[in-house]
Amino acid sequence: MNNLLQLKGTFEQKSNASRPGAPELPVKSEVSVEHLKKLKEDLKKLKEFWNKNEILKGALVSVYYKDVIAKTRRISGTLCKGTKTSNSSIVGAKFSSDLRKKHIITHYIDRDILNESIERYECVIKIIEEKFDGIITSEDISKINNKTIEYTYEGIAKTNFLKIIVDAHYVEKFSLVKNYEEFEENTIITLYKTDIKAEKLMEALGINLLSNRILDDTTVLLTPDELSILKQKAPYLISMAVSDISKIEKIEFDFSLKNKMVIPKPQNEPTIGVIDTMFDKNVYFSEWVEFENLLSKDIELNEKDYEHGTAVSSIIVDGGNLNPELDDGCGRFKVRHFGVTTGSCFSSFSILRSINEIVTANRDIKVWNLSLGSSLEIHPNFISPEAAILDKIQYENDVLFVVSGTNKSTDDSNKKIIGAPADSINSLVVNSVNFANNPTRYSRSGPVLSFFTKPDISYYGGDKDKKIRVFLPNGEAYVSGTSFAAPWIARKMSYLIDILGLSREVAKALIINSSTGWDEKGIEKSFLIGHGIVPIKIEDILKTKNDEITFVLSGISEKYDTYTYNLPIPVVKEKHPFIAKATMCYFPSCSRNQGVDYTNTELDIYFGRIKNDKISSINNNFQSLDEGNYLYEGNARLFFRKWDNVKHIKEIFKKGTRAKKAYDKGMWGISVKTKERLEEKHGKGIKFGIVVTLKEIDGVNRIEDFIKHCSLRGWLINKLDVVNQIEIYNIAEEIIEFDE
């Protein structure tokens, strides 16, 4: 088998040379004065509403678009004034409940900006009525832009006139979103971000909250009676609402004979963090686990409260010994286990506070396992509070969470969407398959926010025919569930990061890439098993077949385009006898208050042959407008994973696959283009990891040719030798005692 290769070299950086052009309508489209008048009336009604409102100083305005809208097609002449762009005032985004999804984007603006927008529409309406007979076409707009029609109209600048026309083409209406969802228990409420903090808004409505029920400036915990007051007095303030109490799906344990288990004492093994139910200190591997109960001492605990957490930690510590057929070759791991809940249900609000404090106080831990999950389905229009805090932690810290994909009852044959926190975008979310490599009966499905691929991957979590062996307070047991698939992936991630020294970006990409094949997988299947099933043996992730070459690259995005055109893929008879696949991972900043437009930064990967100083990408990526192509935003998200922080592109291996013509000295290139959703530059300095696999279509091993040519092109190449890396790790972890 071929070793995994690490390529180290220089990525070039360049800024985006293209600049926004003049506002244009799509070809053969038009905007009528009737539609403009309707939009103006919408704005006037909103003005009347807010003039009577004394709670907020500004105005909330929701823009209902006709489709899923790209950032470049959002309003640019409406709800803005001077240097304040309309994009900077966005406080929420959701999809409509229509059969065909449409964007609804909410802005918070000064009231004088609302007045300014009404005046602009009045000017535009007057000009179109007097000069264009009530309808302005795309041809008219083009003529104004190229000065065939001279713009001499008064009352509004030419650019603003054109922007209002283009805005009107994409906007269906302006209105106000009001939330009337009913909840029977305590509810986590997120308010739209305004110039008044949540605590002060609640006081103005007669709701007085203690500090322990305020999470941040926009998120509070309300009782049903308090929520009723909020909905009665100001339903328009509610951006998101989710139940606080999450029931944990009941796990059935099949107990077996109490075999005596032995384990050596821990030494310098890596530590994995576990956040779960309680841990029993009397089990045979207790020396390997450092446990802390974070629940109040007033809470009475019973034996059931120790089962789930102890079982999860038993897999992380000694999974290969308990389940020889799943022995991954990773060895044993120490655990730092934090008990944050009992075995039946948990308060999301309290766990939100706990997780942040736990990670902050334990910065030496790189990999965390979270096998807790809600039985409730996630909301289609926003990320759960639990997932949002995980994403924030992973953006701000060099850590990775492995999260279970949540379960449903095996008696439930209906499709059920995953529960929180499995909607965490930055986390590695794991679903279960049985030992026949099929989704289990308890598996729940993605996607998240209608298009994010979740779960990311699948692994063996057991089913009724063959379960996973774990250890509980009263002995061995057999169990099934995504809770017991995730710890196996946490082991692999810790091995890659802590022992082999790979970055979390590369490690995550490597795990996902290892789960993918060369066949075509349907979208529905991907929502159940993610990108694929991860191999059992760590060796099968770190080595490839003789006819494959896998290499990893790391980079940092500093400008719009981070690229190298310097990858010498072997050439045979002026052709490349390869097909290829690539996986890229990064950890973006996310904004929960942006709703469905959750990730703030998009990194888009182009990988393929260099032809005429451009990359001919293996997935025919048409997102770039540089090529003169345009995709509707919904399709860009679906087919090219736009805004998804995991990009996997590949060519399909079919019978009769032919070698590709070699261009430009046989060079291939990688380009990572960075796009920002908001005004802030969250993507500057963001790290990414890329894993590339090349498959030789004739079955020939060409890795030595590849290494040789890469060395000649200035790449530093490291064959990832596992034995050598383990020796380095052991030496680094040795405790040196100095003589006095």
Side-chain angles (χ1 to χ4, degrees), residues 705-735:
D705 285 347
F706 177 70
I707 292 171
K708 174 184 161 186
H709 288 112
C710 283
S711 296
L712 291 172
R713 301 294 299 188
W715 291 97
L716 295 176
I717 301 179
N718 175 32
K719 286 186 179 180
L720 204 65
D721 187 305
V722 173
V723 174
N724 186 43
Q725 290 296 126
I726 291 174
E727 286 180 4
I728 293 171
Y729 171 80
N730 287 334
I731 292 169
E733 292 297 310
E734 278 183 6
I735 298 173

Side-chain angles (χ1 to χ4, degrees), residues 527-538:
F527 290 158
L528 268 174
I529 69 167
H531 291 91
I533 304 166
V534 177
I536 293 173
K537 295 291 185 182
I538 193 69

Side-chain angles (χ1 to χ4, degrees), residues 154-345:
E154 296 181 356
I156 186 170
K158 172 180 155 182
T159 302
N160 288 335
F161 171 81
L162 295 172
K163 285 180 176 179
I164 293 292
I165 299 296
V166 175
D167 288 354
H169 172 76
Y170 291 106
V171 174
E172 191 174 275
K173 67 177 181 177
F174 299 107
S175 188
L176 197 59
V177 175
K178 297 181 181 179
N179 194 321
Y180 291 105
E181 280 186 274
E182 296 289 339
F183 292 90
E184 296 179 356
E185 60 280 303
N186 288 356
T187 309
I188 301 173
I189 299 292
T190 300
L191 307 177
Y192 286 114
K193 189 175 182 180
T194 65
D195 44 20
I196 304 175
K197 293 181 179 180
E199 183 180 8
K200 294 295 182 184
L201 283 172
M202 293 298 99
E203 286 178 9
L205 296 170
I207 302 171
N208 296 308
L209 301 177
L210 296 174
S211 60
N212 64 355
R213 290 208 281 141
I214 301 167
L215 187 65
D216 54 37
D217 290 346
T218 60
T219 307
V220 295
L221 180 65
L222 299 184
T223 65
D225 289 342
E226 290 165 341
L227 178 58
S228 179
I229 294 170
L230 176 58
K231 288 191 295 184
Q232 181 184 350
K233 293 184 176 180
Y236 50 81
L237 290 177
I238 303 173
S239 172
M240 296 166 261
V242 62
S243 172
D244 176 47
I245 301 300
S246 295
K247 292 182 175 64
I248 298 173
E249 200 68 46
K250 189 177 179 182
I251 304 285
E252 295 293 344
F253 294 94
D254 293 342
F255 294 95
S256 66
L257 295 174
K258 293 185 179 181
N259 294 322
K260 184 174 178 59
M261 302 289 292
V262 293
I263 191 171
K265 290 184 179 294
Q267 296 189 27
N268 62 350
E269 293 82 3
T271 299
I272 295 173
V274 170
I275 299 173
D276 213 289
T277 66
M278 301 298 115
F279 174 77
D280 191 302
K281 294 181 180 180
N282 298 311
V283 293
Y284 77 95
F285 58 93
S286 61
E287 274 192 277
W288 289 72
V289 180
E290 184 183 342
F291 173 62
E292 185 176 350
N293 178 4
L294 296 182
L295 290 181
S296 168
K297 293 179 180 178
D298 297 332
I299 296 176
E300 289 188 22
L301 300 172
N302 59 49
E303 189 178 289
K304 292 285 185 185
D305 297 326
Y306 290 84
E307 290 180 343
H308 189 275
T310 305
V312 166
S313 281
S314 74
I315 294 174
I316 292 176
V317 172
D318 204 25
N321 186 34
L322 289 165
N323 300 270
E325 72 275 31
L326 290 178
D327 187 359
D328 47 24
C330 294
R332 293 184 175 93
F333 295 85
K334 291 184 284 192
V335 168
R336 203 169 298 160
H337 187 126
F338 298 89
V340 297
T341 183
T342 61
S344 57
C345 64

Side-chain angles (χ1 to χ4, degrees), residues 581-728:
K581 63 180 179 179
T583 304
M584 178 176 71
C585 292
Y586 61 101
F587 292 78
S589 166
C590 302
S591 297
R592 186 169 180 261
N593 63 6
Q594 294 289 310
V596 294
D597 294 341
Y598 178 61
T599 49
N600 295 336
T601 302
E602 152 79 349
L603 297 191
D604 189 19
I605 185 171
Y606 299 73
F607 170 63
R609 294 170 291 167
I610 303 296
K611 182 181 180 183
N612 300 326
D613 292 327
K614 290 183 179 178
I615 295 175
S616 176
S617 192
I618 61 171
N619 66 329
N620 300 315
N621 195 332
F622 286 123
Q623 274 195 50
S624 173
L625 297 181
D626 301 341
E627 305 294 327
N629 300 298
Y630 178 69
L631 267 182
Y632 286 108
E633 178 73 2
N635 289 335
R637 295 184 182 202
L638 180 62
F639 297 118
F640 296 114
R641 314 310 309 156
K642 187 177 179 185
W643 300 110
D644 198 336
N645 64 333
V646 174
K647 299 290 194 301
H648 178 71
I649 59 177
K650 72 178 176 183
E651 296 172 299
I652 306 301
F653 185 62
K654 298 176 181 176
K655 189 177 180 180
T657 297
R658 296 181 180 181
K660 305 177 184 68
K661 182 178 179 180
Y663 303 111
D664 295 348
K665 300 178 183 177
M667 289 299 114
W668 286 41
I670 290 176
S671 170
V672 176
K673 291 184 168 66
T674 304
K675 304 176 182 76
E676 299 286 0
R677 179 115 58 183
L678 305 175
E679 303 297 312
E680 300 92 338
K681 302 297 181 186
H682 290 112
K684 185 175 176 61
I686 195 168
K687 297 177 182 178
F688 59 84
I690 298 173
V691 178
V692 173
T693 300
L694 305 169
K695 181 177 179 62
E696 219 279 1
I697 59 175
D698 298 317
V700 180
N701 189 349
R702 301 192 187 276
I703 191 168
E704 293 305 326
D705 285 347
F706 177 70
I707 292 171
K708 174 184 161 186
H709 288 112
C710 283
S711 296
L712 291 172
R713 301 294 299 188
W715 291 97
L716 295 176
I717 301 179
N718 175 32
K719 286 186 179 180
L720 204 65
D721 187 305
V722 173
V723 174
N724 186 43
Q725 290 296 126
I726 291 174
E727 286 180 4
I728 293 171

Side-chain angles (χ1 to χ4, degrees), residues 450-517:
S450 83
F451 84 99
F452 283 104
T453 298
K454 290 291 170 181
D456 293 288
I457 51 171
S458 284
Y459 200 71
Y460 303 98
D463 68 353
K464 63 182 179 65
D465 296 323
K466 189 174 184 180
K467 297 190 174 186
I468 303 297
R469 186 184 179 206
V470 295
F471 206 87
L472 301 182
N474 53 359
E476 296 174 46
Y478 290 86
V479 69
S480 59
T482 58
S483 291
F484 312 105
W488 295 101
I489 301 300
R491 288 168 54 85
K492 288 178 167 65
M493 286 299 296
S494 180
Y495 189 91
L496 295 174
I497 294 171
D498 294 315
I499 295 178
L500 299 189
L502 298 177
S503 70
R504 60 174 182 161
E505 290 82 9
V506 166
K508 183 178 178 182
L510 197 56
I511 288 286
I512 292 173
N513 194 72
S514 74
S515 75
T516 65

